[in-house]
């Protein structure tokens, strides 16, 4: 199952997917990502730490947290992406936090299986209610990990790059924005992300392109401009390097 990203009203956006036999490499975005294991287990790597979610366990991944996941053939996991608009008060309260895996109260899990973890996108107010229910269970049952200085730097970096990805963003630009000396920022960036700036930019652009490709009416030139690739040739080159397939093949599969 795949629901395309849907604008419900104002800036509210939501999408949901069910995966089996799937490996998703490092990704980041400005949305919350909710993972719920329906069958088997899913391996989630969040901020460099591995967690294994067994059946009935959830993880709520905060915006701009670097993560990846893998699901084997015998497992099934539901994943929802939603903007912070749905849970604005929760977002403001926990803006610099990440959370461990958790479970819900059985009665709440039963309700979520009926209204949220389903084939159809719920009606807006029902969806919002379910997402706040998730946030409440997360507050009660998950371990909250407050961001240290390096984690805060990661989030600020991800937010800045995501907001400027359609431009020819450079580390020099970022150094000016943050008020850091260039060589200090370069060293801090490598310590935080374990890769060079260009590799990281390609990851951000690739993930943005994956979401843009869900809109079947959007042509490759528009996606190229929106994601800052500069040319369709560069979009194809980076996308195939990251995923092993072309953007058109990816769109066909979805």
């Amino acid at each position: 199952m795949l629901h395309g990203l849907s604008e419900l009203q104002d800036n509210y956006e939501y999408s949901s997917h069910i995966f089996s036999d799937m490996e998703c490499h490092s990704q980041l975005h400005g949305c919350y990502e909710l993972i719920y294991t329906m069958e088997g287990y899913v391996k989630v790597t969040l901020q460099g730490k591995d967690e294994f979610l067994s059946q009935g366990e959830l993880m709520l991944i905060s915006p701009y947290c670097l993560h990846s996941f893998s699901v084997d053939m015998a497992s099934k996991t539901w994943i929802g992406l939603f903007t912070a608009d749905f849970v604005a008060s929760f977002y403001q309260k926990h803006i610099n936090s990440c959370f461990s895996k958790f479970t819900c109260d059985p009665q709440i899990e039963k309700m979520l299986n009926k209204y949220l973890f389903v084939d159809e996108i719920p009606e807006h107010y029902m969806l919002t209610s379910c997402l706040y229910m998730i946030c409440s269970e997360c507050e009660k049952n998950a371990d909250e990990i407050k961001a240290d200085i390096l984690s805060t730097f990661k989030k600020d970096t991800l937010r800045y790059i995501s907001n400027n990805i359609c431009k020819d963003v450079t580390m020099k630009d970022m150094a000016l924005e943050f008020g850091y000396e260039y060589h200090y920022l370069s060293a801090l960036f490598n310590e935080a992300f374990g890769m060079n700036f260009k590799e990281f930019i390609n990851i951000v652009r690739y993930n943005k392109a994956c979401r843009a490709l869900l809109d079947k009416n959007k042509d490759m030139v528009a996606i190229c401009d929106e994601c800052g690739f500069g040319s369709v040739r560069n979009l194809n080159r980076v996308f195939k390097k990251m995923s092993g397939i072309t953007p058109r093949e990816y769109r066909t599969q979805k």
Side-chain angles (χ1 to χ4, degrees):
M1 175 193 71
L2 171 63
H3 298 309
L5 199 63
S6 300
E7 285 202 5
L8 300 178
Q9 61 182 52
D10 299 324
N11 294 317
Y12 291 80
E13 293 184 348
Y14 169 83
S15 65
S16 63
H17 316 252
I18 289 179
F19 292 110
S20 290
D21 191 23
M22 173 73 176
E23 183 171 2
C24 183
H25 299 290
S26 295
Q27 59 174 316
L28 52 96
H29 41 70
C31 298
Y32 276 102
E33 184 161 338
L34 176 63
I35 300 177
Y36 172 69
T37 307
M38 305 177 76
E39 298 173 11
Y41 72 92
V42 57
K43 176 185 175 183
V44 181
T45 303
L46 177 64
Q47 305 287 56
K49 181 182 178 182
D50 292 341
E51 290 246 37
F52 291 87
L53 281 63
S54 57
Q55 185 171 337
E57 291 184 319
L58 304 91
M59 180 176 280
L60 183 60
I61 299 172
S62 301
Y64 303 109
C65 286
L66 191 64
H67 62 283
S68 61
F69 67 87
S70 60
V71 189
D72 65 23
M73 291 181 64
S75 301
K76 185 162 68 171
T77 188
W78 179 97
I79 294 181
L81 291 170
F82 59 95
T83 51
D85 305 80
F86 284 100
V87 292
S89 59
F90 178 85
Y91 174 70
Q92 290 300 324
K93 183 177 179 181
H94 301 287
I95 194 167
N96 288 318
S97 297
C98 293
F99 297 94
S100 68
K101 64 181 182 179
F102 63 97
T103 56
C104 290
D105 176 273
Q107 291 301 313
I108 289 178
E109 184 179 6
K110 183 178 179 180
M111 187 178 297
L112 292 169
N113 272 299
K114 181 177 180 180
Y115 293 109
L116 185 64
F117 308 137
V118 293
D119 288 340
E120 300 299 325
I121 297 178
E123 178 271 330
H124 177 72
Y125 294 112
M126 175 59 73
L127 176 58
T128 303
S129 298
C130 288
L131 295 177
Y132 262 117
M133 208 177 297
I134 290 287
C135 292
S136 175
E137 291 296 287
C138 180
E139 277 194 335
K140 289 189 293 186
N141 301 319
D143 294 328
E144 182 174 4
I145 306 155
K146 291 288 187 181
D148 55 21
I149 293 174
L150 196 60
S151 296
T152 301
F153 169 76
K154 287 182 181 180
K155 279 200 167 187
D156 290 343
T157 299
L158 296 175
R159 189 176 291 112
Y160 172 78
I161 290 174
S162 295
N163 289 338
N164 293 278
I165 198 63
C166 62
K167 308 173 187 175
D168 184 22
V169 61
T170 67
M171 185 169 284
K172 183 178 179 181
D173 295 332
M174 198 167 76
L176 289 171
E177 176 72 19
F178 286 12
Y180 288 157
E181 192 272 330
Y182 177 87
H183 294 292
Y184 171 76
L185 178 62
S186 179
L188 187 60
F189 187 93
N190 287 331
E191 180 184 357
F193 296 104
M195 65 184 74
N196 66 44
F197 189 75
K198 185 177 180 180
E199 290 174 318
F200 188 80
I201 290 292
N202 282 338
I203 289 175
V204 178
R205 287 184 170 141
Y206 165 75
N207 280 288
K208 189 173 180 66
C210 286
R211 296 193 296 279
L213 285 163
L214 296 177
D215 182 351
K216 301 296 178 69
N217 296 318
K218 191 174 290 186
D219 65 35
M220 292 298 169
V221 174
I223 291 172
C224 173
D225 292 342
E226 180 181 322
C227 301
F229 281 103
S231 68
V232 174
R233 180 180 180 182
N234 193 40
L235 165 64
N236 288 330
R237 180 186 63 80
V238 172
F239 203 95
K240 189 156 189 179
K241 182 179 180 181
M242 298 289 294
S243 67
I245 59 176
T246 67
R248 293 189 188 279
E249 290 170 333
Y250 177 88
R251 173 174 272 174
T252 300
Q253 291 177 9
K254 300 302 178 182

